[in-house]
Amino acid sequence: MAKSLAEAESDARLIIGGSEARPTEVLALEKVLRGGRKFGLARKILERCADHRDLVGKAQLRLAIGQKWALCTYKDPDLPNDKKLDDAPRILQSVADLETTTDQETLGLAGAIFKRKWELTAQARHLETSFAFYYRGYRQGVEKDYGYTAINAAFVSDCLADIASVPDQPADVDMLLSAQRRREAMEIRKEIVDKLPALPGQPGKEWLGSEWWFLVTMGEAYFGLDDCEHARDWLMKAAALADVPDWQQESTARQIAALLVMKNNSASSGEQQADPCLWEVLRGFLGASAPALESVVRGKVGLALSGGGFRASFYHIGVLAKLAELDLLRHIECLSCVSGGSIIGAHYYLEVRKLLQENTDAEITRQHYIDIVRRIETEFFEGVKSNVRTRIAAEWLTNLKMIFFPGYSRTMRAGELYETEIFARVDDGEGAEDRWLNDAKIQPKGVEADFSPKDHNWRRAAKAPILVLNATTLNTGHNWQFTATWMGEPPAGIDSEVDANCRLRRMYYSDAPPPHERIRLGYAVAASACVPGIFEPLTLSNIYERMPPTEDRMVRPLVRLVDGGVHDNQGVAALLEQDCSVLLVSDASGQMQDLDFPSNGLLGVPLRANSILQARVRVAQFEQLSSRLRGGLLRGLMFIHLKKDLETTPVDWIDTQEPSPRIPPDPLTSYGVQRHVQRLLAAIRTDLDSFSEAEAYGLMASGYLMTEHSLKDPLLGFQVGQPPREAWKFLEIESLLKDRRRDAPLVKQLKVANTLFFKVWLLMRQLQIVAGVFSVFALVLLVYTAYVSWDRSILTLTVKGVTGAAFFAALSLLGLGLVGKLLNYRKTATEILIGIGMATFGFALARVHLHLFDKLFLWQGSVKRLREKEARVGLAQGERVRR
């Protein structure tokens, strides 16, 4: 009797722990584990029995063990991509010579491994290698493996044809390579349909693997030949089978859909049109599941929200608004967020979670997503007005807590404020209670409790997005990810060829050591937005062994996490790790500015050098995405950023005889914003303080207008409608963004938006006068005091007194250090002194700012006030004209 998945997992853990198992028993367990996608466990038990004594002299059993070991290795999601895809061929090589073997199972596995390498690297040579293995398997006879290697050889040949027909190839090369590859694929499929149909009825023939794979192989072969009638017959037989694992259905549907997309691509390049009935065949195969048809044809859609403080958050709201209008938000399967993107991303995720848990898939409409973004447009702005940055400084008890509680920091307080001031505004019944990321899994209404977004989203119209909050690990320099089910360093982004640092294995919360079975949502967001030098790292203790492991197991490292933008400020890596084929990237990061006079100071030079490094990483990331798009690995890509359409101007040397041509740029960008205004929006501070309506609405409108303009072009590989605009509040500022005057009220407001402090003082002449009068008064008072009170008393400080004071101060700091070590107190003397200063008088200044100057700043930047100023200026100009 076959074991259940739970029983197989229990037995596998016993084997890993040292229990012995015969190879035949391991193969039986592996089959159950692989069916449940427990590839890591299956790999480990196969590895343990690879040298079992029962394998001596049994070449076929040894080959079977090696094949399954290689299969589970390359499919194990917990291994680094480069390592597992290099290890898997080596495992196969240990049981069969890959240069000469004619074993079709081995050749099929090798072909699959190199096809996966191509999917991850976009290097066509891996796809060529994949085809070579599949083709050698096909040449052994389609009857021997029921067409497995043959049908994959045909598919890969079509992939190579699709790559050869990219626009940047010369036309003659295009036609020659594509036509040759497509002919090759057609010939293979013809042989499949000629030789395979009669096999199951022959005496002594048994199914190789399963009836499912035979039926879908025949269906795909006829589908590739444009034979709709026979393709429908075979695929419908497969669809009628009972108890077929969902992943097998998805895998088959996606490959047939990819074939259909390639047929449409060849038709658009001038070759024969694909038969329209193929769409009906695929639709019939998927039954009544129209969302599944859309999913497999469209591809997996991912949205990346970059870092950049609240500036990025507001920009992303505009992007979300346009995506909601276009009804694209329902298709987002992965939401990868960094820093400011994590703050708005978590807020949006909580709203979507509420929507999916209160409504069935059939009940959810485009309007639901518009309503979500409309609430965020208002509620997020109100939450930001609470001024998180200054609130932290303004709380007397919080500052004392930071002194006396060694594990508590400004970062953690920021996370708590995200929860109480922003996330609590989501009307999901949780209010201002502590929110736990591990409790934030989405369980859609009407769906069984074992719902997994990665496995089951493909059949839904309204996807349950996987939220990925990206941080950076100071210990190893790797990307750290928080999701609702696990946390840690994902293996996919680590290249072991050039990166020898340890990897802090990601762990499911149920497996994590206490007290890390759960984590506050606010803390995870704060770690992602923890700007180095401004916020302390988020520290996780007693969670990992030493790196590398040592005999001293009592001393555990401290994992310190900082802003995700240090590693990947666009958040693209997580989308690729989740196999997204359509990428929407909203980049509001702080791009480097031109400088006529760069600093040569001890601090200025390294800061500028870091900006250059970040800019280079960003460019390299964009180039990687572009190459994946050209190589056919991405079906669509939208990449928008705050400096879109801002011209790059060549600068001539002095007295040049060959000046660069001066082409006057259009004052408006292609998306309808004045260039000088867009440049000011791009320079807005990346901070966590209050934002005025002028700043927030300007950023939202910019993101909205860019997305609107970008998606008018067919960037995504599928059709996007153009519905009428919704009445968003932030569009009230659109006309001001088009104002050409460089002294317009909005421009004056945005000119100070890049400063961290004293913005309202720079805007209000009255405050400048008050400050000037106060400064003069203070100077006079100082001079008067010095003149009147200058006597010998100030000079009576003795060497003894000065030495005593210095000794007392040193002793105090030393005492703090010794006590800290005894109590495992992880605060530096500097942190303590800052905390004392903030708890005594700093909080009072912060409160004055919150209740007076911050309110003035928000009033100054209200859109209503700016419009009134515009109207007064217009009347004054009209009066001058009449005179």
Side-chain angles (χ1 to χ4, degrees), residues 125 351 451 719:
R125 63 186 177 88
E351 286 279 6
F451 174 80
Q719 292 297 319

Side-chain angles (χ1 to χ4, degrees), residues 76-84 478-479 481 486 488-496 503-506 577:
D76 188 349
D78 292 324
L79 291 176
N81 284 331
D82 66 315
K83 184 178 188 309
K84 68 185 181 184
H478 296 152
N479 174 220
Q481 295 177 351
W486 52 264
E489 296 180 356
I494 299 173
D495 189 340
S496 57
R503 175 172 62 88
L504 302 178
R505 291 177 54 193
R506 66 183 181 188
E577 289 161 12

